Amino acid sequence: MNKICLECKGKGHKVISYKICEACHGSCFKDQVDVKKHVKGISSGAMERFDLNEEQEVPCGVCKGKGEIEVTEKCVVCEGKGEMNQCKKCGKKIESGDYCKDCEVQNKVYILHPACDINDLERGADYKGKVTRVEDWGIFVSLSKKLFGLLRGRMLGYDVGDDLLVKVIDIKKGKGGKDEVDLVKSNIKGEYELVKLRKNIARSLIGEITTNYVKRTVRIVGEVIQIQQTSGPTIFTISDETSTTWAAAFDEPGIRVYPHISIGNIVEVLGEVNIHSGKIQIESESIEKLHGKESIDARRLIDEAIDKKAEPETTELMIESEVLNKLQERMRLAAKAIRRAIFDGRSVLVRHHADADGICAGVAIEKAVVPLIRDINPGSDAEWHFFKRAPSKAPFYEIEDVVKDLSFALEDRERHGQKLPLIVLLDNGSTEEDVLALIKAKIYDIEIVVIDHHYPGEVVDERVVVDDYVDVHVNPYLVGGNSEITAGALAFEVAKMINPEVKEQLMHLPGIAAVGDHASSDEAQKYIEISDFKGYDREDLEKIATCVDFEAFYLRFMNGRGIMDTILGIGNRDKHSKLIEALYKESQKRVKNQLRAALPNLKTQKLPNGVIFNVLDVEKFAFKFTYPAPGKTTGYVHDTMVKKYGEETPIVTLSYGPDFGVIRATDAVNEMFGFNLNTIIIKLDGEIPEAGIDGGGHECAGSLKFVEGLSKKVLGTFAEEIAMLGK
């Protein structure tokens, strides 16, 4: 039995002296670091409290900040191993085994593994069993889950559940499983050694277990990725380097079996292969948690296999684009992270903006992920447990959203034994407004992938503020692009990498996203042209995008799974055409009613710098709580003015309510004056800090929020900024 060497305290060496550290020359410190550069999202009060505003000394990595290092020599007692094999009884050092020659136990008693059967018994050997039944003519003794023997004769003083040492005197194999094992009481007196016998079955890979294995006993080794307690058995979902399966364990109805086994443990399962609900399931005879080298080796094999399977089959892009080429590696990493979560037994939680662009992005990822979940998970309802898609009203990850996501994720872990999910943020997640929500998710070590095209703030070495809190970030701004490449297009490219089979089914979605987000880049035009191959011209795409926005308004926080498929043309084309016709007609009717109320009250003036500035009070001159909402109303009003004055004219439209404003601007404003709504909002916040100004979006489209009592000051200052453009 190996024990820590008392001479060297398990180190394998002894300290004989100390010498000055040559790396720091005894100073204990190696360098200084400016902590502020490594800390994000912390209040100024906390910075001062913990002295984070000042440079901090970095301890020397060689001496660990001690200034001196140890001079050692190998321990002669344990020969540098840090441990010794000692006799279990007297503690004497021995070369091998558990006992020295003086203490060696001659008597051995065997404990059978629960999966052992009659073929593992040996005549004349002693075994430890448990009394399961007492009769006048004998006692039945259980030796394993599927094996028992009979101790004949009247035996007094024994009750069910008592442990008993017995010797096997006869083994009679009968037909149809009617085997008989005759026992007598063991004659061992004094000390004996308990030896655990394991069922000697070669390991089977889950991916190799087919219906041909039914009624056969197998041994699998894998990671527990889910535990479900039913009204009957406990169901363990086990994954190895090849596939995933269920293992059912039962003692009593509704009672958790093997409570010491948790999600993430590496286990060995022995049991009989059966079919349950059309899927292969193992009726376990034993589930043991593995430790040490066995566990490490199994986990390494599983991780290596998952990492290999997670690598996308192809990273080919749909169109040629300099920006997309630069983003290709980031998109590959995003696809790999999503595929790895699927194969690792984690759920995928998709959050996307509730507009045409965001919904196209969310549906693209959904259609790529769900088939993979169905393929690798044995449950018929696995896709509902392992994939969730939810819309966000704001174009950023709101606190309300992350609270819901964390609450459901932690609840699923407790109730259903699921791992914490991978969060995928689409058409949001890149801005400073996302930081607090991202920090909350990261506190629970949740992996986060962001695919967005909103302005992320200042880019330094292809990094922005949120990169400290996300694992993979795909955004055109990081490589010199802009918001004209939509999130729907980026998500489509990632979806093809996740699952190449969805390419033909989804190839028109980037075109819908481009039209819905008013993108006018070369990439947007190429995606629109590709949609022609599916039979959708630009007018069709505009109708679909309008219907998506119209339906999203009434779906609110529901994902509309199924309905959105029909609207987007994924599935029955006849139903798609009928639904588009109905929704588009109704949406245009409501837009017409809204414009009839808004346009007569729109205030328009041409500023000295040539900008056409439009202002509308949507609180007074627009219908509330109906489609289109203030944001869409602003867009329709702005489009009306663009038709009147032309796209090449610098036009800015501002719609406002008691505590908010919605802004739209033509590309000409950006091209002529360098207009960027995000920088203006930052400037306003600096000039009027008491207004609590917040918001953002794209360069030429977005919103701002403020304190209602300071609305005149905020809106007046914004108007001044528009008037000062070009000066």
Side-chain angles (χ1 to χ4, degrees):
M1 181 176 65
N2 289 335
K3 286 190 175 182
I4 292 176
C5 175
L6 298 177
E7 185 69 21
C8 64
K9 305 297 189 294
K11 296 179 180 179
H13 62 264
K14 296 176 64 177
V15 179
I16 57 175
S17 65
Y18 294 87
K19 67 178 181 179
I20 299 296
C21 176
E22 296 179 358
C24 66
H25 305 290
S27 67
C28 303
F29 301 101
K30 186 177 181 181
D31 202 351
Q32 289 187 331
V33 64
D34 187 354
V35 180
K36 290 189 292 184
K37 295 181 179 179
H38 301 271
V39 178
K40 302 286 184 182
I42 295 179
S43 66
S44 57
M47 296 279 285
E48 294 177 2
R49 181 181 176 187
F50 296 103
D51 296 327
L52 300 180
N53 286 314
E54 301 177 1
E55 290 189 344
Q56 304 289 331
E57 292 180 318
V58 180
C60 174
V62 177
C63 65
K64 307 296 188 242
K66 297 179 180 179
E68 58 183 14
I69 57 177
E70 300 173 345
V71 178
T72 64
E73 66 177 9
K74 185 170 73 172
C75 176
V76 295
V77 176
C78 66
E79 298 178 348
K81 297 177 182 177
E83 60 182 19
M84 298 184 302
N85 189 27
Q86 297 176 311
C87 174
K88 281 185 176 181
K89 187 172 183 180
C90 68
K92 186 186 299 182
K93 182 180 177 182
I94 54 178
E95 293 297 324
S96 60
D98 293 324
Y99 299 96
C100 65
K101 292 182 179 180
D102 297 331
C103 303
E104 187 172 9
V105 178
Q106 299 298 323
N107 297 317
K108 292 183 179 180
V109 175
Y110 298 100
I111 299 178
L112 293 179
H113 187 275
C116 287
D117 55 28
I118 196 167
N119 296 312
D120 298 297
L121 287 179
E122 182 182 346
R123 286 185 179 85
D126 294 293
Y127 296 90
K128 184 177 182 180
K130 190 178 291 290
V131 176
T132 56
R133 182 177 161 193
V134 178
E135 301 290 350
D136 291 339
W137 38 268
I139 296 175
F140 288 91
V141 180
S142 173
L143 301 177
S144 72
K145 272 192 173 183
K146 54 173 63 176
L147 182 64
F148 65 89
L150 176 62
L151 189 63
R152 299 179 186 275
R154 185 175 179 82
M155 302 285 178
L156 300 176
Y158 291 104
D159 296 312
V160 173
D162 288 349
D163 290 330
L164 184 64
L165 299 186
V166 296
K167 182 188 291 289
V168 175
I169 58 172
D170 197 10
I171 301 172
K172 302 172 184 176
K173 293 184 179 181
K175 293 182 179 180
K178 296 181 179 180
D179 302 322
E180 295 182 8
V181 178
D182 288 338
L183 308 173
V184 294
K185 291 178 64 175
S186 174
N187 57 9
I188 292 178
K189 299 185 184 299
E191 294 183 351
Y192 58 87
E193 179 185 0
L194 280 175
V195 179
K196 293 184 178 181
L197 290 181
R198 297 183 64 180
K199 181 70 175 175
N200 187 21
I201 301 176
R203 180 193 176 194
S204 297
L205 296 175
I206 294 174
E208 297 175 351
I209 298 175
T210 65
T211 53
N212 294 330
Y213 280 68
V214 172
K215 299 302 180 182
R216 287 172 54 181
T217 299
V218 296
R219 178 173 75 91
I220 62 171
V221 175
E223 180 184 4
V224 179
I225 61 174
Q226 187 178 14
I227 302 173
Q228 292 176 283
Q229 182 57 57
T230 69
S231 57
T234 305
I235 306 297
F236 295 85
T237 305
I238 312 295
S239 176
D240 69 5
E241 62 268 33
T242 60
S243 188
T244 303
T245 192
W246 284 339
F250 180 82
D251 275 345
E252 296 180 43
I255 303 299
R256 169 81 147 84
V257 188
Y258 305 114
H260 63 286
I261 293 177
S262 306
I263 294 172
N265 289 161
I266 299 295
V267 297
E268 177 190 77
V269 180
L270 274 79
E272 186 178 88
V273 178
N274 278 299
I275 301 296
H276 182 78
S277 299
K279 299 285 185 177
I280 289 176
Q281 177 176 290
I282 297 174
E283 306 296 336
S284 68
E285 292 161 0
S286 70
I287 302 179
E288 292 186 5
K289 182 178 176 181
L290 299 184
H291 301 277
K293 188 175 184 301
E294 280 185 302
S295 175
I296 293 170
D297 289 346
R299 190 177 296 281
R300 176 179 53 78
L301 287 173
I302 293 170
D303 286 344
E304 288 176 356
I306 289 176
D307 196 67
K308 186 176 180 181
K309 286 194 293 184
E311 195 66 46
E313 296 177 22
T314 176
T315 58
E316 182 182 354
L317 299 174
M318 193 72 177
I319 65 172
E320 184 59 37
S321 164
E322 182 181 351
V323 174
L324 290 178
N325 287 339
K326 292 179 180 178
L327 282 174
Q328 192 171 18
E329 176 59 18
R330 290 176 179 268
M331 289 191 285
R332 183 192 70 81
L333 293 174
K336 182 176 181 179
I338 295 171
R339 285 174 60 86
R340 184 175 180 88
I342 297 168
F343 296 130
D344 194 32
R346 286 178 289 155
S347 59
V348 177
L349 171 58
V350 171
R351 273 279 179 189
H352 59 80
H353 190 202
D355 66 357
D357 184 28
I359 290 170
C360 284
V363 171
I365 297 299
E366 176 184 300
K367 295 305 176 186
V369 167
V370 169
L372 298 182
I373 292 175
R374 289 175 182 154
D375 287 344
I376 70 167
N377 285 280
S380 58
D381 59 347
E383 63 187 89
W384 303 101
H385 290 296
F386 289 98
F387 182 85
K388 291 183 177 67
R389 177 172 62 83
S392 297
K393 285 296 181 184
F396 59 88
Y397 198 22
E398 288 190 291
I399 298 300
E400 290 88 345
D401 292 334
V402 75
V403 167
K404 292 177 185 175
D405 295 343
L406 285 175
S407 178
F408 286 130
L410 296 172
E411 185 177 319
D412 285 345
R413 184 172 67 175
E414 293 299 319
R415 291 181 61 192
H416 306 300
Q418 290 187 201
K419 294 182 177 181
L420 291 177
L422 165 72
I423 294 179
V424 182
L425 302 178
L426 305 172
D427 202 22
N428 58 26
S430 285
T431 69
E432 292 189 18
E433 292 177 284
D434 298 273
V435 168
L436 182 55
L438 295 173
I439 288 175
K440 290 190 70 173
K442 272 300 173 188
I443 289 173
Y444 292 90
D445 296 322
I446 292 177
E447 188 178 4
I448 302 172
V449 172
V450 171
I451 302 173
D452 193 11
H453 69 142
H454 287 88
Y455 179 68
E458 184 182 2
V459 180
V460 179
D461 296 328
E462 297 189 1
R463 287 183 62 84
V464 292
V465 173
V466 299
D467 284 320
D468 290 332
Y469 313 105
V470 302
D471 298 275
V472 183
H473 189 189
V474 180
N475 190 311
Y477 283 96
L478 299 176
V479 294
N482 55 35
S483 62
E484 293 297 308
I485 299 179
T486 63
L490 297 171
F492 166 72
E493 296 289 356
V494 173
K496 288 197 300 95
M497 296 179 187
I498 296 171
N499 186 353
E501 294 182 5
V502 302
K503 175 182 175 180
E504 298 298 325
Q505 183 186 33
L506 307 177
M507 62 190 297
H508 62 295
L509 294 190
I512 299 172
V515 171
D517 234 37
H518 301 282
S520 57
S521 62
D522 291 339
E523 291 87 355
Q525 185 58 39
K526 289 177 181 178
Y527 283 121
I528 292 172
E529 291 172 359
I530 287 173
S531 300
D532 281 336
F533 292 103
K534 291 287 291 285
Y536 298 104
D537 58 22
R538 188 180 187 95
E539 184 180 352
D540 294 328
L541 298 178
E542 289 176 348
K543 286 184 177 181
I544 294 172
T546 298
C547 292
V548 169
D549 287 330
F550 181 65
E551 196 74 7
F553 178 82
Y554 294 101
L555 283 170
R556 301 188 186 279
F557 298 104
M558 295 184 290
N559 62 34
R561 187 171 177 180
I563 297 176
M564 280 300 172
D565 290 358
T566 304
I567 295 173
L568 291 171
I570 302 172
N572 189 299
R573 192 67 177 262
D574 182 54
K575 290 183 179 179
H576 162 74
S577 300
K578 291 178 180 177
L579 189 57
I580 291 296
E581 182 181 357
L583 294 179
Y584 186 74
K585 183 178 179 180
E586 182 63 25
S587 68
Q588 292 308 105
K589 175 183 174 182
R590 299 191 182 210
V591 169
K592 187 176 180 179
N593 289 340
Q594 193 74 294
L595 292 178
R596 188 182 294 122
L599 288 177
N601 298 287
L602 180 69
K603 297 178 181 178
T604 302
Q605 68 177 120
K606 186 173 183 179
L607 303 176
N609 57 6
V611 175
I612 304 296
F613 189 40
N614 310 295
V615 180
L616 175 66
D617 185 345
V618 291
E619 184 71 14
K620 295 179 180 177
F621 305 112
F623 293 104
K624 298 178 182 178
F625 314 118
T626 187
Y627 181 87
K632 283 295 174 185
T633 299
T634 306
Y636 284 116
V637 169
H638 179 72
D639 290 344
T640 302
M641 303 310 292
V642 171
K643 288 179 182 179
K644 181 178 180 179
Y645 293 102
E647 293 185 1
E648 70 284 351
T649 305
I651 304 172
V652 177
T653 302
L654 166 66
S655 294
Y656 65 90
D659 60 354
F660 69 89
V662 181
I663 299 95
R664 297 290 184 270
T666 55
D667 290 338
V669 186
N670 177 265
E671 294 166 0
M672 296 170 63
F673 305 106
F675 176 81
N676 188 328
L677 176 61
N678 299 283
T679 57
I680 290 178
I681 290 175
I682 293 172
K683 186 176 180 181
L684 291 178
D685 185 43
E687 293 178 0
I688 319 173
E690 66 273 20
I693 296 172
D694 197 7
H698 301 302
E699 289 100 327
C700 297
S703 62
L704 69 156
K705 302 175 185 176
F706 44 79
V707 174
E708 183 176 347
L710 294 171
S711 61
K712 286 186 178 180
K713 186 174 183 180
V714 172
L715 296 174
T717 306
F718 178 81
E720 291 174 4
E721 288 293 327
I722 300 302
M724 292 297 293
L725 290 173
K727 296 183 180 180

